[in-house]
Amino acid sequence: MIELKPAVNASWWQTGIIYQIYPRSFMDSNGDGIGDLTGILKNLDYLQWLGVDAIWISPIYPSPMADFGYDISDHTAVNSIFGTLEDFDQLLDQAHARNIKVILDFVPNHTSEEHPWFVQSRSSRDNPKRSWYIWADPAADGGPPNNWVSNFGGPAWTFDQQTGQYYYHAYLPEQPDVNWRNPEVEAAMMGVMRFWLERGVDGFRVDALRQIFKDDQLRDNPINPDYELEQGPYKKLLPLHTTDLPEALAAVERMRQTLDDYSERVLIGELYLPFERLVAYYGTNGAGCHLPFNFHLIFTHWDAAAIATLIQRYEAALPAYGWPNWVLGNHDKARIASRIGKEQARIAAMLLLTLRGTPTLYYGDEIGLQDVPIPPDQVQDPYELNVPGLGLGRDPERTPMQWSAEKNAGFTTGQPWLPLAADYPTQNVAAQQQDPHSILSLHRRLIALRRQEPALREGAYRWVQSQGTLLAYVRHAAEQQFLVILNLGDEPAQFCPPDQALQGQVIVSSNPAHEGQTVSEAVTVQGNEGLLIRLSS
Ligand code: NOJ
């Protein structure tokens, strides 16, 4: 039996729930078909009603939008598509007035090719900003300096005719990587953090954090022996010399020092890494990221034993100072309701909101949005355009939020930048708010309970059983104990408590008709059902 300790003096980013907003797709207030800051502002009441504690907003900065904002041309301004700096300040004030924290995306690994730093850097070999980016001479045959490949397919090096060298880009050629080995770059990036911290933002989600340092000798990456075609060209190599270098860990601690000059801010790292490497990003004695994003639920086989093992492996890997966190989806991965189906998406919500650790909820998952098929002539994502047909494109999970049955789901009065799901007339916030059986109502009940109950918010986790399709665990603090039983299959299954008679009351069920029922001894859990039971002490 695994027993894991509760939090002591927990901070907001430990007890709270983070909600990710993809700003292009949340709410359009000016009819241009693209979401904006005023659109977010207008829906703060909804977010407060839902009960989330913080919003993380994907990039809002000036950008040519080659990678939809992850190609920044000015780090300290707001893209006019999204509004103005004044709109941002107003959003921040209004969010804070509702006790909602605001986390911004910080993109330190690369800029847009249109960023003035890169414009200068590429202008000549002796420009003072030349070494702000990663330039290298061609190989002997005139080709790229080494075999590194871009995350979006194709070589990671682009030749610059004017100066006769290649520059490195982990993503698009329009997104040159900066050179973190140059202290001036680091100082400039810390300045970017300070700019927003001074304005009052509550923290950052740091983009592509494992990539910020690359091998200084530019050694070839080894071939991936397990590569399969459908994984896309980036997976042909093992990114040994382009990701997760020790220098990155040290830089994270310096970012954290900048952040710690301000009180109660959070540093979240985007880190696709196995657990043993992921936990290194908490830093020495916790001096790094508060929350190195744990994406493992996105990739796991949806099976009770597999998930139980995953939780156990994560908990076992966490250092004493490491606070856990869980993510089910984001703007880069297929939506949970498409990965495991609409019925199981409700079970996934119960899992996310009852596990030990900070949950991050991706906008639209609370109403069970599914990936929307994008006709080839409407594809926007550069990844899909570069590597078509493998299902790697990210447009399907970025479609507009479905607010109501009105035209365009109430998202815009214009032409939405991506198509809406055909089911929006019935699957939308307004309809689901009225329906106690909806996945939205389920999220809201779970969030409310989590806010109210220390055992769920900060309590210890104890694995109870993973048998057949059932996964069962207990969350407890002081006198309170909650038993969570999740049926990951679509057939009824019998839960028999392993070591004690079961007495309690169903507080939340994915089927509200079962809420309030008292249970004693064995419980029959319906297919696709999850139960949260308050155990009698
Ligand atoms: C990760 C972001 O989440 C993704 O959307 C982006 O394309 C890359 N980093 C590059 O910034």
Side-chain angles (χ1 to χ4, degrees):
M1 193 160 285
I2 314 160
E3 185 78 37
L4 291 146
K5 58 186 176 309
V8 181
N9 298 328
S11 301
W12 66 266
W13 50 266
Q14 295 177 295
T15 55
I17 293 162
I18 300 170
Y19 183 95
Q20 181 191 352
I21 292 178
Y22 196 65
R24 292 182 74 86
S25 303
F26 196 59
M27 173 60 106
D28 173 22
S29 72
N30 63 359
D32 65 0
I34 297 173
D36 46 47
L37 293 177
T38 304
I40 300 175
L41 182 89
K42 287 191 170 153
N43 285 292
L44 286 176
D45 287 341
Y46 165 71
L47 296 168
Q48 192 176 26
W49 172 87
L50 182 60
V52 299
D53 301 82
I55 51 175
W56 147 39
I57 313 175
S58 288
I60 54 169
Y61 316 106
S63 160
M65 295 284 170
D67 188 19
F68 294 104
Y70 284 95
D71 49 321
I72 298 172
S73 52
D74 181 352
H75 293 93
T76 54
V78 169
N79 193 317
S80 55
I81 293 179
F82 297 128
T84 62
L85 209 45
E86 290 68 40
D87 294 334
F88 177 76
D89 288 340
Q90 208 190 340
L91 173 62
L92 194 60
D93 278 357
Q94 290 295 314
H96 285 169
R98 290 167 176 79
N99 280 325
I100 295 175
K101 308 277 186 187
V102 178
I103 298 165
L104 285 185
D105 223 298
F106 173 48
V107 186
N109 179 68
H110 45 268
T111 68
S112 162
E113 62 172 347
E114 292 184 18
H115 196 294
W117 299 342
F118 189 69
V119 172
Q120 290 177 55
S121 185
R122 82 185 316 174
S123 66
S124 76
R125 286 197 187 204
D126 53 15
N127 184 281
K129 293 245 171 357
R130 185 68 171 181
S131 61
W132 280 43
Y133 291 81
I134 300 169
W135 292 97
D137 289 333
D141 64 357
N146 63 21
N147 73 349
W148 296 352
V149 282
S150 153
N151 279 259
F152 290 151
W157 296 95
T158 290
F159 187 65
D160 181 63
Q161 285 292 349
Q162 190 182 324
T163 56
Q165 282 188 312
Y166 282 85
Y167 66 88
Y168 175 70
H169 46 88
Y171 294 90
L172 299 172
E174 292 89 343
Q175 290 168 293
D177 280 40
V178 298
N179 175 17
W180 267 78
R181 295 184 189 280
N182 182 337
E184 289 174 5
V185 168
E186 178 170 320
M189 286 296 182
M190 297 298 178
V192 171
M193 291 179 84
R194 285 189 190 282
F195 175 87
W196 294 105
L197 290 166
E198 292 289 340
R199 280 199 116 74
V201 308
D202 300 288
F204 300 102
R205 170 270 190 189
V206 188
D207 186 69
L209 187 51
R210 71 195 172 118
Q211 277 140 323
I212 59 175
F213 278 86
K214 6 275 159 184
D215 184 38
D216 53 0
Q217 298 168 52
L218 306 183
R219 283 172 287 188
D220 276 355
N221 274 329
I223 304 291
N224 175 3
D226 302 321
Y227 172 67
E228 286 171 22
L229 205 64
E230 62 273 15
Q231 295 174 312
Y234 177 70
K235 293 280 163 84
K236 275 184 189 163
L237 304 178
L238 297 171
L240 184 69
H241 297 302
T242 40
T243 64
D244 192 21
L245 298 194
E247 295 93 318
L249 290 168
V252 171
E253 295 193 3
R254 296 194 296 277
M255 286 181 197
R256 172 66 181 275
Q257 282 162 19
T258 299
L259 200 91
D260 281 351
D261 284 346
Y262 304 80
S263 63
E264 285 284 288
R265 313 295 166 104
V266 69
L267 193 66
I268 306 174
E270 188 214 16
L271 294 155
Y272 288 93
L273 288 172
F275 287 141
E276 59 281 11
R277 290 305 310 149
L278 182 65
V279 298
Y281 285 79
Y282 286 108
T284 320
N285 294 320
C289 288
H290 296 100
L291 301 174
F293 259 152
N294 166 11
F295 296 125
H296 287 255
L297 282 178
I298 296 179
F299 302 101
T300 187
H301 185 49
W302 201 251
D303 163 274
I307 294 174
T309 306
L310 185 137
I311 299 167
Q312 180 179 344
R313 284 184 42 235
Y314 182 50
E315 290 277 11
L318 286 170
Y321 43 77
W323 180 252
N325 77 89
W326 297 96
V327 181
L328 278 178
N330 60 34
H331 62 295
D332 294 327
K333 302 291 174 212
R335 283 199 181 263
I336 182 74
S338 289
R339 298 202 310 269
I340 62 173
K342 281 191 171 188
E343 289 302 322
Q344 279 297 310
R346 303 162 76 91
I347 305 306
M350 293 196 75
L351 178 71
L352 178 74
L353 295 168
T354 59
L355 279 175
R356 188 177 87 91
T358 308
T360 297
L361 187 56
Y362 182 48
Y363 88 93
D365 280 355
E366 77 274 27
I367 56 169
L369 282 191
Q370 290 189 297
D371 291 346
V372 178
I374 309 293
D377 62 340
Q378 290 181 48
V379 169
Q380 307 271 346
D381 181 20
Y383 196 8
E384 178 66 25
L385 293 170
N386 283 356
V387 187
L390 294 180
L392 299 171
R394 302 164 298 172
D395 293 330
E397 62 265 21
R398 297 176 175 181
T399 59
M401 181 65 168
Q402 297 172 192
W403 292 103
S404 69
E406 284 167 34
K407 188 169 178 241
N408 296 327
F411 163 73
T412 182
T413 55
Q415 178 65 28
W417 78 285
L418 278 174
L420 279 144
D423 66 1
Y424 82 76
T426 51
Q427 179 144 312
N428 59 62
V429 170
Q432 292 197 16
Q433 281 182 316
Q434 306 306 320
D435 175 6
H437 292 260
S438 70
I439 187 169
L440 178 59
S441 297
L442 176 65
H443 274 91
R444 186 162 182 255
R445 290 201 302 282
L446 287 165
I447 292 172
L449 193 69
R450 191 181 171 102
R451 291 180 78 105
Q452 182 187 313
E453 295 292 345
L456 292 172
R457 218 169 48 224
E458 299 153 51
Y461 165 90
R462 187 171 81 236
W463 173 80
V464 174
Q465 203 177 84
S466 31
Q467 209 167 45
T469 59
L470 292 187
L471 168 64
Y473 51 90
V474 160
R475 297 291 314 282
H476 65 97
E479 302 298 296
Q480 291 285 345
Q481 288 213 53
F482 289 91
L483 173 66
V484 181
I485 314 174
L486 305 176
N487 188 346
L488 278 72
D490 54 13
E491 296 293 326
Q494 186 85 356
F495 172 77
C496 302
D499 55 4
Q500 66 198 52
L502 173 70
Q503 291 288 340
Q505 187 178 30
V506 176
I507 302 294
V508 178
S509 165
S510 52
N511 176 357
H514 295 169
E515 288 173 10
Q517 284 181 6
T518 52
V519 288
S520 53
E521 314 233 327
V523 189
T524 299
V525 190
Q526 298 305 317
N528 297 314
E529 185 176 32
L531 298 173
L532 202 162
I533 299 167
R534 188 196 298 274
L535 295 178
S536 318
S537 41

